[in-house]
Amino acid sequence: MNEVTSVAHSARALTHQFGTGDPLAELNTRRAFWLTAVMMAVEIIGGWWYNSMAVLADGWHMSSHALALGLSAFAYAFARKHASNPRFAFGTWKVEVLGGYTSAILLLGVAAIMAFESVNRLLAPTDIHYNQAIIIAFVGLCVNLICAWLLRDNHDHGHDHGHGHVEHRGHGHDHGGHAHDLNLRSAYIHVMADAATSVLAIVALFGGKLWGASWLDPVMGIAGAVLVTVWAIGLLRDSGKVLLDAEMDAGVVDEVREVIADSQIPAQIEDIHVWRVGRNHYACILALVTKSPVSADYFRNALSIHEELVHVTIEVRWES
């Protein structure tokens, strides 16, 4: 019995690659953060002053948006500053994922506050200054659309697609809708969710102004809370999978198995571990058993058609 171990790339050599983000994305994220923070203050103060729960809820929702953008900007800055720090085996990319996870937890608290205040207003209605509240809600919507425009070029719409072995030769793939930039994806989705909340607030205010349906205002506040909750749970799920290395159901795992199964030299997989080390980069540890005295480099070269596999360790055990 012989053992051969082959490492495709040095983890330290890849640290800088995984620890840096897109400078334009970082700049636009900071711009969107400051724009949103100003509008957040206007909506919260205006919603409280004019007794509009829908506007106040939208302001709190916008605060969660500002928080997400702030964490995204911090993640980019931290990753850039510590990109060459040798303590990070695979770079600082997961800082952005941790930021998204933390943001999602805080968002659940914001949603609870929004729901609580909306229920109180539903049970104890107050007079609403509709004209002023409508103006504030409309300006908030415009801010949301401007932020979406700032982030539009940097939001990568990853697509799941088939993983045919032949079709993928020589190409890197996206193995999940959030693979490329989870940091910016979270900010972009939050912008769109915030825009939807602004629309709900405007509808509620017009309903109250034109038809006297004042109950629409707190109801839309509750709807906004539900929207924040759904978004937060989705971000918790996506970021948690990356932080816990719980991605053995990713398409790239099937592709590794497919390459070994289609190899001209028969081999069986004894053990396999695949985890994400970058936006669309994976590390892989593979233990194989074969009856042929073949080098691990043979299988490493076969796996090289999948460019997202950037750090590969292969152990081959020969059986007579």
Side-chain angles (χ1 to χ4, degrees):
M1 180 179 70
N2 297 298
E3 293 186 355
V4 179
T5 300
S6 174
V7 180
H9 300 282
S10 166
R12 180 166 296 186
L14 295 170
T15 296
H16 184 74
Q17 176 186 354
F18 298 149
T20 56
D22 182 357
L24 179 60
E26 181 180 354
L27 176 62
N28 283 341
T29 300
R30 288 201 305 268
R31 289 171 174 170
F33 166 75
W34 288 113
L35 185 62
T36 300
V38 172
M39 193 61 227
M40 170 201 72
V42 171
E43 285 201 334
I44 291 177
I45 295 173
W48 174 79
W49 187 263
Y50 297 117
N51 289 323
S52 171
M53 192 57 225
V55 172
L56 188 60
D58 191 45
W60 279 112
H61 188 191
M62 189 165 280
S63 74
S64 67
H65 172 37
L67 174 63
L69 290 172
L71 286 172
S72 294
F74 168 78
Y76 283 128
F78 184 92
R80 174 170 39 80
K81 181 178 179 180
H82 297 277
S84 300
N85 191 327
R87 292 185 302 165
F88 296 96
F90 288 102
T92 52
W93 171 73
K94 282 191 176 180
V95 171
E96 71 178 50
V97 184
L98 182 60
Y101 186 85
T102 304
S103 175
I105 293 176
L106 296 177
L107 283 180
L108 291 176
V110 171
I113 294 173
M114 290 168 58
F116 179 79
E117 291 295 331
S118 296
V119 171
N120 281 345
R121 293 294 181 93
L122 190 62
L123 298 177
T126 57
D127 293 333
I128 300 173
H129 300 273
Y130 288 107
N131 292 334
Q132 296 90 333
I134 288 172
I135 292 174
I136 293 175
F138 181 77
V139 173
L141 176 59
C142 291
V143 170
N144 295 147
L145 296 178
I146 292 173
C147 290
W149 180 82
L150 282 173
L151 301 174
R152 75 194 190 289
D153 289 336
N154 303 304
H155 175 60
D156 196 324
H157 298 277
H159 303 286
D160 285 326
H161 45 72
H163 299 286
H165 183 65
V166 176
E167 294 177 0
H168 288 167
R169 288 191 179 275
H171 301 284
H173 334 300
D174 180 358
H175 295 282
H178 58 281
H180 285 279
D181 195 335
L182 183 60
N183 199 27
L184 205 58
R185 169 183 174 263
S186 66
Y188 184 86
I189 292 177
H190 203 176
V191 167
M192 300 312 296
D194 206 19
T197 305
S198 295
V199 172
L200 291 177
I202 293 172
V203 170
L205 290 168
F206 270 110
K209 176 181 172 62
L210 299 177
W211 303 298
S214 59
W215 55 269
L216 274 175
D217 187 76
V219 167
M220 291 304 181
I222 294 174
V226 172
L227 195 60
V228 175
T229 300
V230 171
W231 182 84
I233 291 175
L235 185 56
L236 277 173
R237 180 183 62 249
D238 293 342
S239 57
K241 285 179 62 177
V242 176
L243 292 173
L244 295 174
D245 296 324
E247 295 192 276
M248 286 299 291
D249 57 346
V252 67
V253 179
D254 293 333
E255 290 176 348
V256 171
R257 296 183 184 277
E258 186 179 326
V259 168
I260 301 304
D262 292 346
S263 172
Q264 293 181 354
I265 299 179
Q268 291 184 343
I269 297 177
E270 273 193 329
D271 195 16
I272 180 173
H273 300 276
V274 178
W275 67 100
R276 194 188 300 267
V277 294
R279 294 187 184 97
N280 194 32
H281 298 102
Y282 295 82
C284 175
I285 297 177
L286 195 61
L288 303 175
V289 178
T290 179
K291 295 183 178 180
S292 304
V294 61
S295 168
D297 286 337
Y298 170 82
F299 297 103
R300 186 193 66 183
N301 291 333
L303 288 170
S304 67
I305 64 171
H306 297 297
E307 296 174 355
E308 65 271 36
L309 292 173
V310 295
H311 185 89
V312 180
T313 301
I314 301 177
E315 180 182 275
V316 177
R317 182 164 61 87
W318 302 333
E319 285 186 345
S320 57

